[in-house]
């Protein structure tokens, strides 16, 4: 069974890589199979999640546990989402959507403002520019100047001339360096993916390495 | 000059072929380019090493097949290190493919570390859709959020999960993340509200996005891409795909740099001629 799986994966890999030569039916077929299998697995896990978290507690509770009747509410709200497909009743789907957006916003406000906003500002404010009298915190200074420059770049309330123009220019260069780093990392990531596939083809499939 | 023009119009198929050989040849004939241990990888390793024996580590598999070449070696090395040190592992996934990889890692590592048993030393809780909502709920009650593990065994019947009720029973969170939901959901929903340290392992492409959280202290340590996996394998003295791939990674990068330099020289030379 394992050998069959390796062969299927190897043929699938070669078929997908054949796109590099040119667009072809084999690539298209395997691409569709991949998307279909992914969707199938997702559907299974979605079903399993509803079964475990709503259906079982309501209709099939474990020994010694009572039925959780409150589970009816999320179940009904979930079903109401599908009213979207009925022209006359699609307004009903806005009720569960409202809950989803409300819960999402509540969680975001609670977590995002603290961790992804305030903590970042505080960390930059606390950055020691001069670690000791001997060791000058050059990288910290670059960081702080970069942050201030980038903020100035996005400051549109007044015309960018004089000091603001220089600040915006620093911001522009800081962002270009950051995008360059991100692009370099992206190339590294893609190369790693190719290494993984070549490693699989040469190792697990052909057993050369 | 004809050849200068030709250099600028190299067929992409030739570039792909050269890149393929640049990766395949070092895999077949390893060069052994030395790998230096990064400070971040060392901190990651030390954090797990310094945990008291029997600590419970939550490892979240938030990635799919597309990120496996980078994150699978990381997961394997971390799991081996944790189990060898006598820690317990609770694995789960915010991505539906995650638990499949957790199973694969557990099967491979448990065979190598003697006496480790499913349900006692490690467990795979499976996948739940919802991202931040799942984490918020799980932090308060593991058993209600994940009533069963991947084998459909009730959590109340699993020895390890009898000790783990909520997030306060977890000593360390390791999020192996390839995007969203992932490290940000853990930082925002758990890290900012509970006193549990979070370490992140990620793909190379995500490193720049996570670095600010590292600097602000929301993330304790970061493993980035295949290189970090190789460093970790070196630290635990277990060579795997990470170390095996580093020669190929270096040669591939040199090849890309060479193509960029050649292309630019040809471009500048033709521009001057004009």
């Amino acid at each position: 069974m394992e050998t069959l799986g390796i062969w299927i994966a190897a043929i699938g890999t070669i078929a997908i890589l054949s796109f590099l030569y040119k667009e072809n039916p084999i690539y298209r077929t395997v691409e569709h199979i991949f998307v279909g299998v992914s969707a199938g697995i997702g559907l299974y896990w979605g079903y399993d999640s509803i079964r475990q978290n709503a259906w079982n507690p309501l209709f099939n509770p474990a020994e010694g546990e009572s039925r959780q009747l409150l589970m009816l509410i999320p179940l009904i709200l979930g079903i109401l989402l599908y009213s979207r497909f009925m022209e006359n009743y699609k307004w009903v789907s806005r009720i569960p959507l409202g809950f989803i957006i409300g819960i999402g916003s509540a969680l975001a406000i609670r977590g995002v403002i603290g961790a992804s906003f305030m903590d970042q500002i505080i960390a930059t404010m606390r950055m020691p520019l001069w670690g000791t009298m001997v060791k000058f915190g050059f990288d910290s200074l670059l960081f702080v100047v970069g942050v201030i420059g980038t903020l100035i770049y996005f400051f549109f309330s007044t015309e960018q001339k004089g000091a603001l123009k220089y600040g915006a220019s620093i911001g522009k260069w800081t962002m270009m360096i950051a995008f360059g780093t991100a692009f370099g990392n992206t190339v590294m990531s893609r190369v790693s993916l190719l290494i993984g596939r070549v490693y699989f083809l040469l190792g697990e499939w052909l057993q050369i390495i | 000059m004809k050849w200068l023009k030709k250099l600028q119009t190299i067929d992409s198929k030739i570039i792909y072929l050269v890149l393929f050989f640049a990766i395949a040849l070092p895999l077949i004939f390893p060069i052994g380019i030395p790998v230096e241990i990064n400070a971040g990888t060392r901190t990651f390793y030390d954090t797990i090493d310094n945990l008291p024996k029997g600590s419970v580590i939550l490892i979240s598999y938030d990635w799919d097949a597309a990120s496996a070449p980078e994150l699978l070696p990381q997961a394997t090395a971390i799991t081996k290190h944790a189990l060898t040190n006598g820690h317990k592992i609770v694995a789960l996934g915010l991505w539906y493919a995650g638990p499949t990889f957790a199973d694969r890692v557990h099967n491979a590592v448990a065979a190598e570390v003697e006496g480790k048993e499913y349900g006692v030393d490690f467990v795979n809780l499976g996948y739940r859709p919802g991202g931040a909502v799942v984490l918020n709920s799980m932090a308060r009650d593991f058993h209600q959020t994940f009533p069963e593990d991947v084998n459909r065994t009730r959590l109340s019947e699993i020895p390890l999960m009898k000790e783990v009720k909520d997030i306060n029973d977890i000593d360390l969170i390791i999020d192996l993340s390839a995007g969203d939901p992932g490290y940000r959901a853990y930082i925002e929903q758990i890290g900012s509200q509970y006193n549990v340290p979070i370490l992140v392992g990620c793909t190379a492409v995500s490193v720049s996005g996570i670095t600010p959280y590292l600097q602000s202290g929301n993330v304790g340590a970061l493993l980035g891409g295949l290189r970090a996996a190789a460093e970790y394998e070196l630290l635990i003295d277990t060579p795997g795909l990470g170390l095996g791939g580093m020669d190929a990674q270096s040669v591939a990068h040199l090849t890309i740099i060479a193509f960029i330099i050649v292309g630019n020289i040809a471009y500048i030379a033709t521009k001057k001629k004009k």
Side-chain angles (χ1 to χ4, degrees):
Chain A
M1 234 7 223
E2 203 186 326
T3 313
L4 182 70
I6 288 171
W7 270 86
I8 292 171
I11 292 166
T13 303
I14 293 166
I16 292 284
L17 288 175
S18 71
F19 180 78
L20 295 176
Y21 181 68
K22 66 175 184 182
E23 167 89 48
N24 61 75
I26 300 170
Y27 162 75
R28 277 260 166 246
T29 310
V30 176
E31 186 195 28
H32 283 87
I33 291 171
F34 181 75
V35 173
V37 169
S38 299
I41 296 171
L43 198 68
Y44 165 76
W45 280 112
Y47 153 78
D48 193 59
S49 182
I50 294 169
R51 184 187 65 81
Q52 280 192 48
N53 291 81
W55 189 267
N56 280 355
L58 186 60
F59 299 111
N60 190 21
E63 257 185 48
E65 284 180 16
S66 53
R67 283 177 197 276
Q68 293 182 32
L69 292 173
L70 277 176
M71 284 299 160
L72 266 173
I73 298 170
L75 261 182
I76 291 169
L77 284 172
I79 292 164
L80 288 184
L81 273 174
Y82 291 93
S83 63
R84 238 190 132 61
F85 298 112
M86 291 181 283
E87 198 52 45
N88 293 336
Y89 297 101
K90 70 178 181 189
W91 60 271
V92 178
S93 67
R94 289 183 195 154
I95 300 168
L97 272 175
F99 273 94
I100 292 170
I101 292 166
I103 292 166
S105 308
L107 287 175
I109 289 166
R110 203 168 104 153
V112 176
I113 291 177
S116 292
F117 193 62
M118 290 310 291
D119 283 1
Q120 300 305 317
I121 297 170
I122 292 166
T124 309
M125 286 165 75
R126 280 188 180 160
M127 190 160 265
L129 293 181
W130 289 269
T132 62
M133 287 302 281
V134 184
K135 197 182 168 193
F136 179 64
F138 186 67
D139 52 346
S140 302
L141 186 70
L142 271 181
F143 191 99
V144 171
V145 170
V147 168
I148 294 170
T150 310
L151 288 173
I152 290 173
Y153 182 84
F154 289 105
F155 187 73
F156 302 120
S157 304
T158 181
E159 197 183 341
Q160 289 183 346
K161 56 184 182 185
L164 276 184
K165 193 181 163 191
Y166 287 112
S169 185
I170 290 170
K172 191 171 75 184
W173 278 97
T174 307
M175 280 189 285
M176 282 169 75
I177 293 166
F179 296 149
T181 312
F183 179 70
N185 280 332
T186 308
V187 172
M188 190 156 93
S189 227
R190 302 304 169 226
V191 170
S192 301
L193 299 188
L194 186 58
I195 291 170
R197 284 295 83 197
V198 175
Y199 199 92
F200 166 76
L201 289 175
L202 298 178
E204 284 184 57
W205 185 45
L206 296 175
Q207 303 198 344
I208 295 174
I209 50 175
Chain B
M1 291 274 248
K2 255 187 175 177
W3 64 276
L4 281 174
K5 272 196 172 173
K6 269 192 179 173
L7 277 180
Q8 286 182 76
T9 51
I10 301 173
D11 191 350
S12 54
K13 292 180 191 89
I14 295 172
I15 298 174
Y16 294 144
L17 200 67
V18 171
L19 200 60
F20 177 81
F21 281 113
I23 286 173
L25 290 176
L27 286 176
I28 301 169
F29 309 107
I31 308 164
I33 297 171
V35 176
E36 273 182 38
I37 311 290
N38 188 295
T41 312
R42 172 68 67 181
T43 313
F44 201 112
Y45 175 87
D46 288 343
T47 310
I48 295 179
D49 227 33
N50 294 335
L51 284 175
K53 198 178 169 185
S55 298
V56 183
I57 303 176
L58 186 147
I59 302 183
S60 193
Y61 286 72
D62 304 332
W63 41 285
D64 58 11
S67 309
E70 289 181 282
L71 293 177
L72 191 62
Q74 285 187 16
T76 311
I78 293 164
T79 305
K80 184 161 187 198
H81 185 208
L83 288 181
T84 311
N85 277 22
H87 304 318
K88 316 268 183 192
I89 292 174
V90 177
L92 59 95
L94 298 180
W95 289 33
Y96 65 77
T100 317
F101 287 106
D103 258 351
R104 203 169 147 183
V105 169
H106 290 165
N107 290 340
V109 175
E112 287 177 30
V113 186
E114 218 176 297
K116 298 298 166 188
E117 202 184 320
Y118 183 85
V120 179
D121 301 291
F122 57 93
V123 68
N124 185 359
L125 299 186
Y127 159 80
R128 280 292 166 280
V133 182
V134 173
L135 296 187
N136 196 282
S137 159
M138 180 189 81
R140 284 177 278 122
D141 193 340
F142 268 89
H143 290 245
Q144 200 170 24
T145 315
F146 293 87
E148 299 170 358
D149 72 347
V150 281
N151 304 318
R152 296 197 170 177
T153 309
R154 288 197 69 80
L155 251 56
S156 50
E157 292 163 18
I158 298 173
L160 171 57
M161 293 314 292
K162 283 178 186 166
E163 302 161 20
V164 180
K165 302 283 182 202
D166 58 37
I167 204 71
N168 297 314
D169 300 320
I170 298 288
D171 299 293
L172 176 70
I173 293 172
I174 297 174
D175 184 39
L176 300 172
S177 168
D180 194 45
Y183 69 92
R184 274 186 69 165
Y186 272 95
I187 293 166
E188 288 167 2
Q189 298 306 324
I190 295 181
S192 65
Q193 289 157 57
Y194 300 92
N195 192 24
V196 189
I198 298 174
L199 308 183
V200 175
C202 67
T203 53
V205 69
S206 315
V207 169
S208 10
I210 303 174
T211 310
Y213 292 99
L214 194 66
Q215 186 239 339
S216 64
N218 296 109
V219 170
L222 175 66
L223 291 185
L226 192 67
R227 190 196 151 86
E231 291 168 12
Y232 212 99
E233 284 173 5
L234 208 61
L235 281 170
I236 61 165
D237 200 20
T238 311
L241 173 61
L243 271 170
M246 277 323 286
D247 283 345
Q249 179 92 274
S250 306
V251 175
H253 284 179
L254 284 174
T255 311
I256 293 167
I257 291 167
F259 272 122
I260 292 171
I261 291 172
V262 166
N264 273 275
I265 288 172
Y267 171 72
I268 292 164
T270 25
K271 208 177 159 190
K272 269 190 179 172
K273 284 248 174 235
K274 276 179 190 172

